[in-house]
């Protein structure tokens, strides 16, 4: 596995144009970003509940929306990873 910073330098040597690279990078990073935000929010709520602090009371709608969003984020993250892995394999097999 190549470190993230080093791989960015290698990607700079490719023929990919700037704006398509930025757009694809943004789309590719969004699912993981949402996943990290969900995990951080859930962790904060868990710590507050464990500490016995004044936890914010949420209705079932909040938890339903939170659960569906969390599940969707995991599914999209796995899906985007599979698409990227398949495209990479296809491009390396074609050479």
């Amino acid at each position: 596995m190549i470190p993230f910073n080093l791989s960015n330098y290698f990607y700079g040597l490719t023929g990919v144009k700037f704006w398509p690279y930025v757009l694809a990078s943004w789309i590719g990073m969004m699912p993981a970003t949402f996943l990290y935000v969900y995990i951080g929010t859930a962790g904060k709520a868990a710590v507050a509940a464990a500490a016995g602090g004044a936890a914010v009371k949420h209705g079932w709608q909040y938890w339903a929306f939170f659960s569906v969003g969390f599940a969707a984020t995991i599914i999209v993250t796995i899906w985007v990873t599979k698409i990227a892995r398949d495209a990479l394999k296809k491009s390396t097999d074609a050479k």
Side-chain angles (χ1 to χ4, degrees):
M1 174 81 27
I2 298 174
F4 187 70
N5 291 338
L6 187 58
S7 69
N8 283 338
Y9 290 120
F10 290 143
Y11 296 145
L13 299 174
T14 67
V16 178
K17 301 293 182 204
F18 178 74
W19 288 112
Y21 174 77
V22 169
L23 179 64
S25 295
W26 183 78
I27 290 170
M29 287 186 256
M30 279 293 105
T33 301
F34 288 139
L35 181 63
Y36 295 144
V37 169
Y38 272 115
I39 290 171
T41 303
K44 180 181 175 184
V47 167
V56 176
K57 302 293 183 199
H58 296 291
W60 68 270
Q61 298 92 343
Y62 172 83
W63 292 110
F65 184 72
F66 185 85
S67 299
V68 168
F70 185 67
T73 301
I74 291 173
I75 290 168
V76 169
T77 301
I78 292 168
W79 182 49
V80 168
T81 302
K82 183 183 178 333
I83 290 171
R85 195 173 285 145
D86 291 346
L88 183 62
K89 185 174 191 267
K90 187 176 180 181
S91 70
T92 57
D93 288 346
K95 292 182 180 183

